[in-house]
Amino acid sequence: MSSRARHTALALTTAALAAAPLAAVAAPAEAAEAAAPRTLNVHRGGPARSFTFSAGRGGEALVGFTASAPGVSWAKKGAESAVVSIAVDGRHVTDLVVPSSDPTPRSLALGHVDRGRHKVTLRFAKGSAPAARSVRLARPSVRMPAADQLVLRYAPVVVGRTLALTGDAYQNATTDTPLIAWHETKPATTPGHKILEYSVVWSNEDGGTDTPALMARWGRTTDIEWIYRVEVDAKGNRVDGTGVYQAPEHATLKFTGKYEADHPLLQTCTVNNNMCDAVTPDSPLRFMPDVTATRPDDRTREYVMDQQPWTYRVMAQEMLREGKIESPSDPATTAVGDQRTYLFVEFAKTTGAATGTGSVPGVALGVRLKSDPSRLYRSDHDQPTWSIDRDGPVATTVELPEGTTASDVASVEAIRRPIGLGDNGAPATVTSIKRGFFLDSSYLPQQSFLDWTGSVTLTPQSPSGVLWRP
């Protein structure tokens, strides 16, 4: 059992087991888990399923399970997902979009609960695809992780997108669905204070950066955005007026909307998943993802996807269903091919001071294969604006011929490419490769085979350098 699980003071039982005695509030985590239902099946047109839990103290709760929906596939129109509505004590708190028939571990927030007994109710919801008939939730459990109470307390509620472009109030059940979320803790100006920042990974963005540029500049076709930021004092209380959110056009605006307890209500209100603090009345979908995950300072935001491999499969399936994948795949074109043909790489870089005028240098990665080492496959497809000019840990992808495996790679190289006219002469230095993998036949990440630390500096006189050889 994990250390987090040992912190819980919850006991569970299903409604079907209501006649059985409820485990004591102070029972050890093992007893609570043993009392939990093994499986809940929620059917279209069927009755709601429920279970109770007993909280030994007031605080923020999480619910977890392994979810699957027979006949559902995010890759198929009309079978995209099944939606489960989740309520606590009769109050709708969150929805679960299940995009696969494959069992997938999921964790959601239930918000603040008081000390005592509570009832969780799950219903098969509107917005489910026609092909969806049921949802299987295996090993459901509720916990209140002591170490994460602060970050859970201020996590935003994300209300589903209801833009008029489709006339569908359940848009996030078929497109740009929020998959996972995480938090970062940053220092504040005031001693003892800190800033909590919350980010979400969506399955894609219907607007914003185009798909080939996403693969080249960000190393994925999901959309990752910070959505809310707030300062808390040394006692963990919100500092009035410090809540801000990422608004349309990526503006940072002060939050002036409504709260549920300390949870701000935000709504996805653009096709590129920016937020508004004015929520459309009666919006049917709402999401409270588990935000307890975080990332190391030296890793990209894509690291959180690496920890939840199923997100890559949903990402790829949305591209297939929306017709954004070139067929047959051809690495000689700029169009996005089968994402299983791409090498997904994370590396770190820094840029020095400019020595002249012109555009800043971006860095692309190049791959040579043992079968034809004279040919260089580039992450930027030789497009200047697709090279990466930001510093720190970054991610990209390199499209390769279909069937390429790790054993076929002869070298990985760094390539200097100014993003516009001219070259300001600044040196660009690559210092590490953190991971490199292909997706398997099911669009899940294979084991990383790239790991390199060193220093390769790219200049106008030396614009490329080898980073890795097997």
Side-chain angles (χ1 to χ4, degrees):
M1 179 185 299
S2 69
S3 59
R4 264 183 196 170
R6 285 191 290 268
H7 288 302
T8 188
L10 302 177
L12 304 174
T13 183
T14 59
L17 300 175
L22 188 68
V25 167
E30 288 81 0
E33 291 174 355
R38 291 182 60 85
T39 303
L40 289 172
N41 291 295
V42 185
H43 296 274
R44 181 188 293 272
R49 299 299 305 275
S50 64
F51 63 89
T52 61
F53 69 92
S54 186
R57 53 177 169 76
E60 300 291 323
L62 296 171
V63 62
F65 29 63
T66 298
S68 58
V72 160
S73 171
W74 198 247
K76 298 179 181 178
K77 188 174 182 179
E80 296 91 343
S81 72
V83 182
V84 176
S85 174
I86 303 175
V88 176
D89 300 332
R91 180 176 61 87
H92 181 202
V93 294
T94 189
D95 290 292
L96 170 69
V97 173
V98 183
S100 176
S101 60
D102 294 322
T104 303
R106 304 293 297 271
S107 182
L108 305 173
L110 296 178
H112 180 87
V113 297
D114 295 328
R115 184 179 184 274
R117 184 177 293 187
H118 301 278
K119 183 178 181 181
V120 177
T121 302
L122 305 102
R123 299 178 184 274
F124 196 95
K126 291 181 179 179
S128 298
R133 311 307 302 173
S134 66
V135 175
R136 185 176 189 270
L137 304 171
R139 298 180 298 279
S141 62
V142 176
R143 59 191 179 93
M144 296 174 67
D148 297 314
Q149 286 296 300
L150 184 66
V151 298
L152 287 169
R153 176 181 171 184
Y154 296 107
V157 176
V158 179
V159 177
R161 196 172 76 189
T162 58
L163 295 177
L165 77 164
T166 66
D168 181 8
Y170 296 89
Q171 289 168 35
N172 289 136
T174 58
T175 186
D176 295 3
T177 197
L179 300 175
I180 55 175
W182 83 97
H183 77 279
E184 296 182 34
T185 303
K186 302 182 178 183
T189 303
T190 304
H193 290 206
K194 54 189 171 184
I195 295 171
L196 303 176
E197 182 179 281
Y198 300 91
S199 300
V200 172
V201 179
W202 280 269
S203 54
N204 187 226
E205 57 180 338
D206 288 333
T209 305
D210 66 18
T211 304
L214 278 173
M215 290 291 278
R217 301 197 67 246
W218 299 99
R220 32 79 182 178
T221 55
T222 55
D223 184 31
I224 303 180
E225 306 284 356
W226 76 270
I227 62 171
Y228 180 69
R229 190 183 296 141
V230 67
E231 182 177 338
V232 297
D233 63 22
K235 295 182 178 180
N237 296 315
R238 182 178 67 244
V239 177
D240 288 342
T242 62
V244 295
Y245 66 99
Q246 186 172 186
E249 303 296 328
H250 300 288
T252 300
L253 298 183
K254 181 175 290 189
F255 179 80
T256 60
K258 296 180 179 179
Y259 292 90
E260 290 183 358
D262 286 307
H263 302 285
L265 281 172
L266 291 166
Q267 183 170 22
T268 310
C269 62
T270 70
V271 291
N272 62 331
N273 302 315
N274 289 159
M275 312 304 289
C276 291
D277 63 356
V279 175
T280 304
D282 301 321
S283 299
L285 291 179
R286 49 181 282 150
F287 305 96
M288 289 192 74
D290 179 353
V291 298
T292 56
T294 189
R295 66 180 176 115
D297 291 338
D298 64 343
R299 300 300 301 269
T300 64
R301 297 180 301 171
E302 291 71 30
Y303 171 87
V304 298
M305 290 182 60
D306 297 350
Q307 307 310 299
Q308 299 279 349
W310 62 273
T311 60
Y312 282 90
R313 180 174 57 204
V314 177
M315 172 190 81
Q317 289 177 332
E318 186 157 331
M319 295 297 96
L320 289 167
R321 175 165 48 85
E322 294 185 351
K324 296 178 179 179
I325 298 300
E326 177 184 46
S327 182
S329 298
D330 185 355
T333 73
T334 59
V336 174
D338 186 330
Q339 288 176 301
R340 294 171 294 190
T341 68
Y342 286 79
L343 177 61
F344 289 74
V345 186
E346 177 185 336
F347 66 101
K349 61 178 283 286
T350 59
T351 305
T355 60
T357 59
S359 63
V360 298
V363 172
L365 291 189
V367 172
R368 297 184 191 275
L369 302 180
K370 296 173 183 177
S371 60
D372 183 7
S374 65
R375 182 172 181 179
L376 184 67
Y377 298 89
R378 298 174 58 126
S379 62
D380 64 354
H381 283 276
D382 207 23
Q383 304 293 308
T385 59
W386 291 2
S387 64
I388 301 173
D389 60 328
R390 64 190 185 279
D391 281 347
V394 297
T396 188
T397 59
V398 183
E399 186 178 7
L400 298 168
E402 187 174 357
T404 300
T405 66
S407 62
D408 297 321
V409 177
S411 66
V412 177
E413 306 176 14
I415 308 161
R416 176 190 179 90
R417 179 63 187 264
I419 65 170
L421 297 175
D423 186 333
N424 68 9
T429 301
V430 180
T431 56
S432 68
I433 297 177
K434 293 292 187 182
R435 55 93 162 139
F437 59 75
F438 292 99
L439 302 182
D440 67 16
S441 60
S442 299
Y443 299 98
L444 297 176
Q446 299 182 44
Q447 184 174 357
S448 172
F449 67 95
L450 292 180
D451 185 10
W452 170 84
T453 302
S455 181
V456 171
T457 298
L458 310 175
T459 66
Q461 295 75 33
S462 300
S464 64
V466 174
L467 304 177
W468 177 91
R469 287 193 178 97

